[in-house]
Amino acid sequence: MLPLEVTLGGAIERSVLFVAALGWEAATIVPAIDGRVVSRSGPFTLWKGRAGNAPYWLLRVGIGSDRAAQGTRWALDVVRPAAVASTGCAGALASGIGIGDVVVADAVVGGGGGDRVTSVEWRERYRRASLAAGLVARVGRILTSERTLLDPESKRQAAEASRAVAVEMEGAAIADCCSAKGIEFSAARVILDPASTALAPELPAVLTAEGYVSAPALVRALVRRPGLLRELFALRSAMRTCRRALDHLHRELIRGLH
């Protein structure tokens, strides 16, 4: 088991664990922390890195609350961090939030309700990092949904019910794991799809739990609806914008921590 705090040169450094669902989300953090894979457990991958004297960790859990809870519990037992940051992409639930914009959570709420309030200190860190990266940032509630919200109407209904401005699928489960251990929690997400954007209904079926495209499932979907290819190309363009924003955000965040 690894220590909660590491003493280096007489100073005590608090360790931080970043948690992302997807491989391409995690890839935006690896360079910022100079991370190296140090452990795998089933579908979960753990990186260790360092920026300055501070120890950093990164966990990739895959899509959904069950995967997030299982992976986070495992990593918390292994790493014992002082703080956890849930990060990656999200969909917007409010108008005026565009692709590549940052939503810094003041609270994360699950489908069953109940706020998981985030660290005030880390909210400010993410806000400052967003500004330093030249990104538009907004503070608000983030909803954790058990299903992908694919159309503007489902997003509108979710926004009304939750009063959230963005939606993802892991944050509340990560927050609950942190609460059980008494660990500081924060969340920030970069927007992939605006509230007015409809995603392809086939999307959940063609993605694996790690967020990669399943070639056989994609071929079957394209046979049924060839127009899907055009929608996937548009989504890929949005992903590139989102990925660049996440890369800049985490570079500035890590720079500000040391």
Side-chain angles (χ1 to χ4, degrees):
M1 188 170 289
L2 299 164
L4 172 68
E5 295 178 328
V6 180
T7 302
L8 295 167
I12 296 179
E13 302 291 346
R14 302 172 69 213
S15 64
V16 178
L17 172 67
F18 294 95
V19 182
L22 308 179
W24 65 267
E25 295 170 335
T28 67
I29 305 174
V30 170
I33 65 173
D34 191 23
R36 300 290 185 272
V37 173
V38 293
S39 186
R40 289 188 173 91
S41 177
F44 311 121
T45 302
L46 183 68
W47 288 259
K48 182 183 180 182
R50 187 176 301 281
N53 286 332
Y56 295 107
W57 304 86
L58 167 63
L59 172 68
R60 187 192 69 192
V61 294
I63 297 172
S65 292
D66 289 344
R67 293 280 294 265
Q70 293 171 20
T72 302
R73 283 194 295 265
W74 167 69
L76 293 184
D77 287 340
V78 172
V79 176
R80 299 171 58 210
V84 171
S86 170
T87 189
C89 65
L93 295 181
S95 61
I97 307 178
I99 298 169
D101 289 352
V102 180
V103 174
V104 180
D106 54 13
V108 173
V109 61
D115 283 2
R116 287 80 166 170
V117 178
T118 60
S119 162
V120 174
E121 180 181 2
W122 275 86
R123 275 183 238 161
E124 180 60 19
R125 286 173 174 169
Y126 263 113
R127 190 191 66 82
R128 289 199 305 264
S130 301
L131 295 177
L135 302 172
V136 176
R138 177 168 177 174
V139 177
R141 289 158 61 89
I142 293 180
L143 169 67
T144 297
S145 174
E146 293 301 318
R147 61 185 180 89
T148 306
L149 303 184
L150 298 169
D151 59 89
E153 178 58 21
S154 64
K155 295 177 185 178
R156 185 192 65 77
Q157 292 176 3
E160 288 184 355
S162 65
R163 296 182 290 110
V165 300
V167 59
E168 40 77 19
M169 300 180 70
E170 297 82 29
I174 298 168
D176 289 344
C177 292
C178 292
S179 178
K181 296 278 189 178
I183 295 172
E184 193 172 16
F185 170 76
S186 66
R189 298 288 178 133
V190 172
I191 296 303
L192 176 63
D193 53 299
S196 60
T197 297
L199 299 175
E202 298 90 348
L203 194 61
V206 302
L207 293 180
T208 67
E210 288 74 32
Y212 300 114
V213 173
S214 165
L218 178 59
V219 170
R220 291 192 296 270
L222 287 173
V223 168
R224 291 191 294 268
R225 189 166 72 89
L228 170 63
L229 188 61
R230 181 177 63 255
E231 297 173 31
L232 292 179
F233 275 124
L235 180 60
R236 185 176 68 171
S237 176
M239 287 175 62
R240 287 174 175 168
T241 299
C242 185
R243 179 169 181 156
R244 284 194 299 270
L246 278 168
D247 180 70
H248 295 326
L249 175 65
H250 288 111
R251 185 173 64 240
E252 294 299 335
L253 179 69
I254 298 300
R255 182 178 296 165
L257 290 176
H258 64 85

